[in-house]
Amino acid sequence: MDPAAGSGAIEDRTENLCAAAWVFFQEIEATGGLAEALHQGLVQKRVASSKSVLSRNVARRERPITGVSEFPNLSETPVPVLEEVPVHKSEKNVVSLSELPEAGTGEKTLALKAAAFAGQSLPGLMDQSDLETPEPGEARLAEPFEQLRLVADRFEEKTSKAPVVFLASLGALAQFTARATWTANAFAAGGIKTAAPAEYASQDDMIAAFKDSGASLACLVSSDGTYETEAGPAAMALKDAGVNHVYLAGRPGEREAELNNAGVDAFLYAGCDLLELLKDAHARLAGAAGVENSDLEVRS
């Protein structure tokens, strides 16, 4: 059965996709075909442009990845995988472009087909030494966040404790719960745990809880109304208590300069570059723990 059930919206998207693909196909043909388009860098530039937009959207969670940047599970069990077996490409029947017939009669397509059946891939059929733009590399969308999760694992191995951010909750439970939950998920996307928020009878109680948490970073969580009167004094108190970087969950709006002066260093909100914020948080956690960043880096 058709899951879209003949939806006009789906038909319209399909039509637009086909039209865009046809325009690009014609653009490739106008340069002399796919091989020439690759040599001129046309395909690579278009792929790189799309990849840049997509990567930006992933980093800002405008393109969320369930289980990675959204709803991450810090208690998940690692999945065992087989070791990758290197594939040695055969040098047999290597065909270069110069050996292929001229295009236009169909003989070139037949030769390419025969070479493919002989085990050659398209890149193997081309001389890539004079490509103006390198071919785009392979990458998974989740990889940047996966790297941060591995950095968090290395941190725990080096320090015997997980990276953690203290959630400095202000006001009553109803005022901070929604933002505290959202914030905990945001930090968890980078493998960083959060000290659970709680209702505090006074600012002194909150500072005492921070000191007991063993955290070096803190994030203010509450409603915009509560921030109006309590965010500034709370940020100053946290700085005095030894927090080396204070975040605030929410957009600063017109009060950004005022909050910065009070001690808020960064703002965490929907649409911010979460990936960069998490990278910076890891660097600060490593510095506070006396761990060299190079010890925590993970190379793919």
Side-chain angles (χ1 to χ4, degrees), residues 27-269:
E27 190 177 348
I28 290 172
E29 288 298 291
T31 65
L34 180 58
E36 185 60 30
L38 285 167
H39 275 278
Q40 292 184 19
L42 171 65
V43 175
Q44 297 94 313
K45 289 174 184 175
R46 289 286 289 273
V47 171
S49 176
S50 295
K51 182 180 178 182
S52 175
V53 173
L54 185 56
S55 296
R56 176 189 179 278
N57 290 341
V58 169
R60 295 175 179 274
R61 293 203 295 182
E62 292 171 5
R63 173 71 179 272
I65 305 173
T66 302
V68 179
S69 62
E70 292 279 2
F71 310 112
N73 179 10
L74 293 181
S75 302
E76 63 189 359
T77 303
V79 178
V81 295
L82 298 175
E83 290 186 11
E84 183 178 357
V85 178
V87 178
H88 301 287
K89 293 185 178 180
S90 171
E91 298 297 324
K92 184 179 179 181
N93 298 326
V94 174
V95 180
S96 68
L97 287 178
S98 60
E99 297 173 339
L100 294 172
E102 290 294 325
T105 63
E107 292 183 7
K108 184 175 183 179
T109 300
L110 291 174
L112 285 168
K113 179 180 176 181
F117 276 116
Q120 299 300 308
S121 64
L122 180 60
L125 295 170
M126 298 180 57
D127 176 13
Q128 301 183 59
S129 60
D130 60 343
L131 288 181
E132 294 183 9
T133 308
E135 287 190 6
E138 296 180 2
R140 299 184 312 281
L141 292 181
E143 197 166 349
F145 287 100
E146 292 170 347
Q147 290 291 313
L148 291 178
R149 294 288 295 266
L150 290 172
V151 168
D153 291 342
R154 299 293 179 270
F155 180 93
E156 190 164 1
E157 290 173 8
K158 291 283 183 180
T159 65
S160 299
K161 61 180 181 180
V164 63
V165 171
F166 176 75
L167 294 187
S169 47
L170 306 176
L173 193 66
Q175 293 172 306
F176 64 73
T177 297
R179 263 198 179 129
T181 301
W182 185 91
T183 302
N185 277 316
F187 279 113
I192 301 174
K193 296 183 178 181
T194 49
E199 284 191 75
Y200 299 111
S202 66
Q203 190 179 94
D204 291 340
D205 288 345
M206 182 191 71
I207 296 301
F210 160 71
K211 292 179 178 178
D212 291 340
S213 71
S216 59
L217 307 180
C219 183
L220 294 166
V221 289
S222 193
S223 64
D224 290 342
T226 304
Y227 285 154
E228 289 284 342
T229 56
E230 297 187 34
M236 288 189 280
L238 287 166
K239 281 293 181 69
D240 290 342
V243 177
N244 61 29
H245 204 71
V246 175
Y247 301 91
L248 182 141
R251 293 180 180 272
E254 297 178 353
R255 300 187 62 215
E256 183 171 0
E258 175 190 342
L259 290 167
N260 285 152
N261 290 335
V264 176
D265 300 293
F267 300 91
L268 175 60
Y269 52 87

Side-chain angles (χ1 to χ4, degrees), residues 13-36:
R13 288 175 68 90
T14 304
E15 181 69 22
N16 290 336
L17 176 64
C18 292
W22 179 243
V23 168
F24 188 37
F25 178 82
Q26 291 177 306
E27 190 177 348
I28 290 172
E29 288 298 291
T31 65
L34 180 58
E36 185 60 30

